[in-house]
Amino acid sequence: MPHTPQHLTVSRRRFLGQSAAALIGLHAAVGRAEGETTSACEEGLRLLSLELACAAPLDAMATFYGRDLGLEVLRAEPDRLTIAGGRTRITFVADRWTEPPFYHFAFNIPEHKILAARNWQRRRTPLIPGYETLRDPELPDDIVDYRNWNAHSIFFWDPAGNCVEYIARHDLPADESWGPADAFGPDDILYASEIAFIVDDVASFAGRVESTFGLMQYRRASDVFHASGDERGLVLTMRRGRNLGFAEGKPADVYATAATLRAPSPATLRAEAFPYHLAAS
């Protein structure tokens, strides 16, 4: 989601881009071999899988996502952990960086369950406080009111220092299977709907994303932030140095990131100066 820009820092490791791209190809091949198909409930789902570098111990990540959040651990290896973030497959790849990598990604949740999600998550982690200007007087102060996006969110940290978001998007239609507003659990973490790519020229990279994958600009954009896609999946382009979430003193930086998208036709995008790989099949 959009946040307040902060100061600029520089740090990058380009070699991980090649390994991330290879892993994305491997996961796509495995999915086809296992007979994955597009079900009716997945129509519109954009972010099929993510692969992110991780300096935290993978057993700690497995405990957090598997035990604490109740998500399914699909594969646990010494150098790789794959979880089911709802219908999005997320792989954390072990890596030792001088400065540990961190990311911002978001999960869609049922649009009427933000308060239940807030109470459920607070029993597991502290929440990141929101800005006073983004508060809803009818909800607790740690729920962020994105009026321009017609959405409410909460933010928290995982063991790797990633800024994780649950977002209730009120423009998406409700589903009767979601159940009552006062109940929340792992099944309400539906799928990843945002991943951020950090660059120096926001307009240029966002333009390439949109032209390559047939996406449209989502809401308003600026020279520091641009969203491409829709409520079921957004590729965020952020300028290097901008805060992730409400992480004061923790500006966004460049780390290996790979994503597979659902798009109208097969396509790939590599960022020459950054360790990024995006693919659609």
Side-chain angles (χ1 to χ4, degrees), residues 98-121:
T98 302
E99 299 177 4
F102 59 91
Y103 302 83
H104 166 64
F105 50 90
F107 294 109
N108 273 9
I109 64 170
E111 67 89 17
H112 63 307
K113 291 195 174 189
I114 189 62
L115 184 56
R118 177 255 186 192
N119 295 337
W120 185 84
Q121 190 61 41

Side-chain angles (χ1 to χ4, degrees), residues 20-128:
L23 289 170
I24 280 291
L26 174 60
H27 274 211
V30 169
R32 289 190 294 270
E34 293 175 349
E36 289 183 357
T37 60
T38 301
S39 66
C41 69
E42 288 180 322
E43 291 181 1
L45 172 65
R46 189 176 312 284
L47 299 179
L48 302 179
S49 68
L50 302 174
E51 296 201 7
L52 312 173
C54 181
L58 293 185
D59 57 352
M61 297 290 280
T63 297
F64 179 79
Y65 284 100
R67 185 193 69 187
D68 299 344
L69 300 191
L71 301 179
E72 183 181 1
V73 175
L74 299 174
R75 184 173 299 177
E77 300 173 352
D79 61 347
R80 188 172 300 115
L81 171 72
T82 301
I83 64 166
R87 299 198 304 272
T88 303
R89 186 175 294 194
I90 302 178
T91 298
F92 298 101
V93 181
D95 183 70
R96 296 181 179 180
W97 290 59
T98 302
E99 299 177 4
F102 59 91
Y103 302 83
H104 166 64
F105 50 90
F107 294 109
N108 273 9
I109 64 170
E111 67 89 17
H112 63 307
K113 291 195 174 189
I114 189 62
L115 184 56
R118 177 255 186 192
N119 295 337
W120 185 84
Q121 190 61 41
R122 273 169 52 93
R123 295 195 291 271
R124 290 156 177 81
T125 66
L127 299 184
I128 302 173

Side-chain angles (χ1 to χ4, degrees), residues 11-33:
S11 173
R12 71 176 64 177
R13 294 284 184 90
R14 297 179 60 184
F15 74 92
L16 276 180
Q18 297 176 350
S19 61
L23 289 170
I24 280 291
L26 174 60
H27 274 211
V30 169
R32 289 190 294 270

Side-chain angles (χ1 to χ4, degrees), residues 104-234:
H104 166 64
F105 50 90
F107 294 109
N108 273 9
I109 64 170
E111 67 89 17
H112 63 307
K113 291 195 174 189
I114 189 62
L115 184 56
R118 177 255 186 192
N119 295 337
W120 185 84
Q121 190 61 41
R122 273 169 52 93
R123 295 195 291 271
R124 290 156 177 81
T125 66
L127 299 184
I128 302 173
Y131 298 124
E132 291 185 7
T133 55
L134 294 176
R135 290 178 180 171
D136 185 330
E138 298 182 359
L139 293 171
D141 289 348
D142 47 17
I143 294 178
V144 180
D145 182 8
Y146 286 116
R147 303 172 189 90
N148 292 336
W149 284 26
N150 193 24
H152 288 85
S153 293
I154 60 171
F155 293 84
F156 57 94
W157 304 113
D158 74 4
N162 298 314
C163 182
V164 185
E165 176 183 2
Y166 295 158
I167 181 166
R169 302 183 190 272
H170 306 303
D171 288 339
L172 287 177
D175 187 322
E176 292 182 359
S177 68
W178 288 344
D182 60 354
F184 188 88
D187 290 344
D188 294 309
I189 300 173
L190 302 175
Y191 50 84
S193 62
E194 294 179 14
I195 182 63
F197 290 86
I198 313 305
V199 298
D200 298 314
D201 187 337
V202 168
S204 175
F205 187 79
R208 291 183 62 196
V209 169
E210 291 173 359
S211 62
T212 300
F213 299 106
L215 305 181
M216 298 294 291
Q217 176 181 319
Y218 183 75
R219 308 294 170 98
R220 290 180 295 178
S222 70
D223 61 351
V224 298
F225 179 89
H226 190 116
S228 306
D230 58 29
E231 288 84 359
R232 290 180 175 85
L234 294 167

